[in-house]
Amino acid sequence: SNDYAIIFRIVDSNGIEIKKPIAINVNNTTTAAATSVSSVTLTSPTSLVLKGTQQITYTATPPTGKSLTAIQQLAVDGGSWLTVTSSAVSAGGTGYYNWNTAAVADGTHLVQIRVQDNNSNFGYSQTRMAMIDNASPDNCQITNLTPSYETKYVSGTVSINTIVTDTVGVDYLKFSTNSPTAVFLQLDNAPWIGSLDTTKLSDGNHQLYLTATDFAVNITTSPAYPIIVDNTAPVVTVTTP
């Protein structure tokens, strides 16, 4: 039994990309009539996308007539076996490992637990996939508005064009005016193109902000993007004759 992730990646003709990870479990094993090794099952975390320190928990049961030893270990990506933080008791039970995910690169990793019984036989858990994302979106900016005139003069309704990228994927974007907390629009899916009705703003100088949140709830806010709103037609006065 193993955990996998399917990442749907769609890119349109304009180069706009969206990624959505989905976790699946594949189990092609058959149930044996009897077992001579310990049964081990990873139980948490259940989330596919992880960051920071995560507690990897498992349950372990020794074979009939046997007991567990203190040799209970975790491996990441098939690497060295690391002693767990807290072992299951000899009769069987729950153990855990406090995993500092910052020790590995952002991206996809596999974790597995093994335990030893008093006959020196190891039982292994299923492997579980984790998508590590400790970094905030690395590119978050407003590129331009359309239509705009001269240098950032805008009127009516304009489109806000953006660039935003992340190792695992962007969950949603928020658009705001004059303060990152003054949100007027949230987008939950690409294309990441916002829309602003400038008639709801006073004529004059304003600032736009873009805030990106990824699937691990890491957040990046763009620099201020200045605009000049002008929805008032010029007044013409005939003075002569």
Side-chain angles (χ1 to χ4, degrees), residues 181-229:
T181 60
V183 177
F184 68 88
L185 175 66
Q186 176 173 318
L187 296 180
D188 297 320
N189 294 288
W192 306 115
I193 302 174
S195 179
L196 171 65
D197 180 1
T198 67
T199 64
K200 295 182 179 180
L201 299 174
S202 60
D203 280 5
N205 294 293
H206 296 275
Q207 294 178 322
L208 299 180
Y209 294 90
L210 177 67
T211 300
T213 302
D214 65 20
F215 290 105
V217 201
N218 299 307
I219 298 172
T220 297
T221 298
S222 72
Y225 186 91
I227 61 172
I228 303 172
V229 175

Side-chain angles (χ1 to χ4, degrees), residues 18-232:
I18 181 172
K19 292 189 290 185
K20 291 286 186 180
I22 297 176
I24 63 171
N25 178 269
V26 177
N27 188 347
N28 292 312
T29 59
T30 57
T31 304
T35 180
S36 59
V37 297
S38 301
S39 171
V40 189
T41 303
L42 285 169
T43 55
S44 73
T46 57
S47 175
L48 173 63
V49 182
L50 306 177
K51 69 175 183 177
T53 298
Q54 295 286 331
Q55 190 172 93
I56 310 298
T57 62
Y58 63 94
T59 58
T61 304
T64 302
K66 302 295 186 296
S67 60
L68 300 178
T69 70
I71 300 178
Q72 301 180 29
Q73 302 165 317
L74 173 139
V76 179
D77 298 328
S80 300
W81 290 100
L82 309 172
T83 301
V84 300
T85 308
S86 178
S87 303
V89 297
S90 61
T94 300
Y96 65 85
Y97 179 85
N98 288 330
W99 183 26
N100 177 16
T101 65
V104 298
D106 278 9
T108 301
H109 298 275
L110 296 173
V111 297
Q112 188 177 34
I113 294 284
R114 72 175 184 179
V115 301
Q116 186 189 63
D117 64 25
N118 59 348
N119 267 3
S120 298
N121 295 316
F122 283 99
Y124 293 80
S125 74
Q126 79 277 28
T127 57
R128 173 160 291 183
M129 175 169 286
M131 299 185 70
I132 304 305
D133 189 2
N134 284 300
S136 298
D138 54 7
N139 194 356
C140 177
Q141 60 179 302
I142 296 171
T143 56
N144 66 289
L145 278 64
T146 53
S148 63
Y149 310 93
E150 298 289 336
T151 306
K152 298 183 175 64
Y153 278 88
V154 293
S155 63
T157 298
V158 295
S159 295
I160 307 172
N161 303 302
T162 70
I163 294 177
V164 58
T165 57
D166 184 75
T167 303
V168 173
V170 177
D171 192 9
Y172 58 88
L173 294 186
K174 289 183 178 181
F175 297 79
S176 53
T177 53
N178 300 321
S179 167
T181 60
V183 177
F184 68 88
L185 175 66
Q186 176 173 318
L187 296 180
D188 297 320
N189 294 288
W192 306 115
I193 302 174
S195 179
L196 171 65
D197 180 1
T198 67
T199 64
K200 295 182 179 180
L201 299 174
S202 60
D203 280 5
N205 294 293
H206 296 275
Q207 294 178 322
L208 299 180
Y209 294 90
L210 177 67
T211 300
T213 302
D214 65 20
F215 290 105
V217 201
N218 299 307
I219 298 172
T220 297
T221 298
S222 72
Y225 186 91
I227 61 172
I228 303 172
V229 175
D230 185 3
N231 285 301
T232 303

